[in-house]
Amino acid sequence: MTTVNDRSLSGNDISVYLSPQTVKGAIDASPVFDPFRRTEGKPKQEITYVQSSEVKSNRQGRTQVQDASTFTGELAFELSQDTAKYLDGMLHGASVDNSVTSVITIGTTATGFVSSNTDFANLSVGDWFFISGFADSDNDGYYKIKTYTDNQNIDTEVAPATIEAEGATVSFESMKTSSGSDQTYYTTQTRTVDKSSAGDIDYRTFFDAVINTGSIEVGETGIVTGSFALAIEALNPGELILAGQTDNATDASDPVSSINNISAIYVDGVNSNCGVKSFGLEFNNNYQADRSAACNGERYAFGDVEATGALVTRAVISNTFEWRDRFEASTPIALACIFTWSDGRWLILEIMRAKLTEHNMPDGSNVISSNEMSYGAEEDPVTGTTVQMFRNFG
């Protein structure tokens, strides 16, 4: 082995860590960081300059004056269990676990589920859940609540396969996060190999960082990718390690594939059966920057949620213009994607109510005439949300 005291810096020498803050305005004492599994990007400081307007009789360059600093962060990633947890921060929602395990009081009906207990007390219309344990395993699966009669009776968008009386040991999982106003601020840190720094690592720590925009891209094939753009208010002075800081272990879950890790894509609560070819979600919290004289950096205030994206579906001759008709009639749709991992964990991301804003069908020779569309989401009047996420892991 050769001792290397100098070489060119590599992107592999730069790593990014995030730690949720307990209180805005202060880094937690002895913060615990999570490694962020990125494909590129890091927090950084950007500096703007203004040029003097002074008249110079010698016609030489005028003075450049450093004016303002802005702290930003663009993080690109592949969707894994680790990166998925930051979708809570993107949605500005508080996670609520409505799961019920190992009960013998749930049965199926011709339209949904019934309980002799109050097993559905914490569920509501629009919620997704995964239920399992029935004697007839065809009744196990993912369901979306269509009608909530009471805490003992619910109807689902797709009915169970068979009617089964209670008695089997049944569990359902449903941990919900809805787009809202519950901000999560992060301390984010870059660590870069630097032989001139203490311990050979340069620590650059920003705090009061919030996720302003986020995206998820599901292609026809390949790894599902995404990005987060951070709005950051403050930079901790110096490049030293923080007192008492520690790290959690790096998450080892696989990134998800559009083919092997998506069990289904649903339209209006019904499995599209491979009818949806690809889609993307662009989520924007619309933070507005607020500057003040005598202060570096910016403060931020959030605006209204925007959720937009692209959607491509198959066009089949049994109903050629189904999607064109939705576009022309401004018919709202709900679009949900179920991501799964080999360890049994799952995540559902749903755009609750979207309107198609563009529609095109390629019409050349030797091309597939898919429905190529854009959409814009609006508040769902039933749930009062724009985007919701359900999963069975924290």
Side-chain angles (χ1 to χ4, degrees):
M1 182 179 69
T2 302
T3 299
V4 179
N5 293 315
D6 200 16
R7 60 170 171 79
S8 294
L9 188 73
S10 162
N12 301 87
D13 295 320
I14 303 168
S15 53
V16 176
Y17 292 74
L18 272 70
S19 176
Q21 289 177 212
T22 304
V23 178
K24 182 183 182 296
I27 299 171
D28 288 8
S30 302
V32 180
F33 285 94
D34 290 308
F36 187 86
R37 295 172 56 183
R38 67 193 182 97
T39 55
E40 62 178 345
K42 63 183 184 298
K44 62 182 179 179
Q45 180 180 17
E46 296 179 345
I47 299 173
T48 57
Y49 283 78
V50 292
Q51 186 181 59
S52 168
S53 298
E54 178 185 353
V55 175
K56 295 179 69 72
S57 59
N58 64 0
R59 299 180 55 250
Q60 302 307 303
R62 288 172 288 178
T63 303
Q64 300 288 330
V65 179
Q66 184 173 322
D67 182 39
S69 292
T70 303
F71 311 123
T72 65
E74 301 280 345
L75 302 175
F77 60 87
E78 297 172 335
L79 185 65
S80 63
Q81 292 175 21
D82 179 64
T83 50
K85 69 186 179 185
Y86 295 103
L87 295 174
D88 280 350
M90 180 190 80
L91 295 176
H92 286 31
S95 177
V96 179
D97 192 349
N98 297 322
S99 303
V100 172
T101 60
S102 301
V103 296
I104 57 171
T105 50
I106 296 177
T108 68
T109 68
T111 56
F113 298 86
V114 63
S115 167
S116 61
N117 197 356
T118 56
D119 295 312
F120 310 136
N122 296 319
L123 299 176
S124 57
V125 172
D127 284 2
W128 286 84
F129 59 91
F130 179 79
I131 196 163
S132 60
F134 287 108
D136 184 350
S137 60
D138 287 341
N139 289 326
D140 297 348
Y142 300 96
Y143 293 90
K144 181 181 179 180
I145 298 177
K146 179 180 181 181
T147 305
Y148 185 92
T149 302
D150 53 41
N151 57 23
Q152 295 179 305
N153 297 272
I154 57 175
D155 291 341
T156 50
E157 294 287 355
V158 177
T162 61
I163 297 175
E164 181 176 334
E166 66 179 52
T169 301
V170 171
S171 298
F172 68 81
E173 303 166 312
S174 182
M175 184 180 295
K176 177 169 71 172
T177 303
S178 302
S179 54
S181 301
D182 296 310
Q183 296 161 291
T184 299
Y185 283 88
Y186 299 92
T187 296
T188 179
Q189 186 178 78
T190 59
R191 302 179 194 174
T192 307
V193 174
D194 183 354
K195 292 288 187 178
S196 68
S197 298
D200 296 339
I201 300 293
D202 176 282
Y203 295 84
R204 194 158 175 81
T205 306
F206 301 81
F207 62 102
D208 287 350
V210 68
I211 298 176
N212 182 20
T213 65
S215 69
I216 296 291
E217 294 293 332
V218 178
E220 294 180 14
T221 62
I223 291 175
V224 177
T225 59
S227 66
F228 294 130
L230 306 176
I232 306 173
E233 294 192 2
L235 171 63
N236 192 58
E239 284 78 39
L240 298 177
I241 190 170
L242 300 174
Q245 77 171 62
T246 56
D247 296 336
N248 287 321
T250 301
D251 171 78
S253 64
D254 289 337
V256 296
S257 154
S258 293
I259 301 297
N260 291 326
N261 299 103
I262 294 180
S263 64
I265 299 177
Y266 286 71
V267 176
D268 295 330
V270 179
N271 191 337
S272 70
N273 290 316
C274 301
V276 175
K277 291 167 62 67
S278 64
F279 78 95
L281 168 65
E282 301 281 341
F283 190 88
N284 190 348
N285 287 299
N286 275 306
Y287 274 86
Q288 305 300 309
D290 181 17
R291 285 200 178 274
S292 177
C295 292
N296 256 328
E298 299 171 307
R299 293 185 181 180
Y300 293 92
F302 53 41
D304 294 338
V305 162
E306 285 185 287
T308 59
L311 172 65
V312 180
T313 68
R314 282 184 165 136
V316 292
I317 60 174
S318 59
N319 192 354
T320 301
F321 295 114
E322 173 187 8
W323 286 91
R324 185 198 65 180
D325 293 345
R326 283 178 166 139
F327 165 68
E328 293 181 347
S330 193
T331 303
I333 62 167
L335 181 67
C337 184
I338 302 179
F339 303 95
T340 60
W341 285 268
S342 58
D343 62 2
R345 293 186 174 187
W346 56 266
L347 180 148
I348 299 174
L349 189 64
E350 182 171 34
I351 298 94
M352 305 299 295
R353 181 183 174 91
K355 300 279 185 68
L356 301 174
T357 55
E358 293 179 303
H359 179 275
N360 181 56
M361 297 179 75
D363 53 17
S365 177
N366 297 321
V367 299
I368 301 295
S369 291
S370 301
N371 298 286
E372 298 176 350
M373 299 167 286
S374 298
Y375 69 84
E378 58 191 24
E379 179 184 352
D380 174 34
V382 176
T383 63
T385 64
T386 306
V387 178
Q388 290 195 147
M389 178 174 66
F390 301 86
R391 62 191 189 277
N392 67 343
F393 61 96

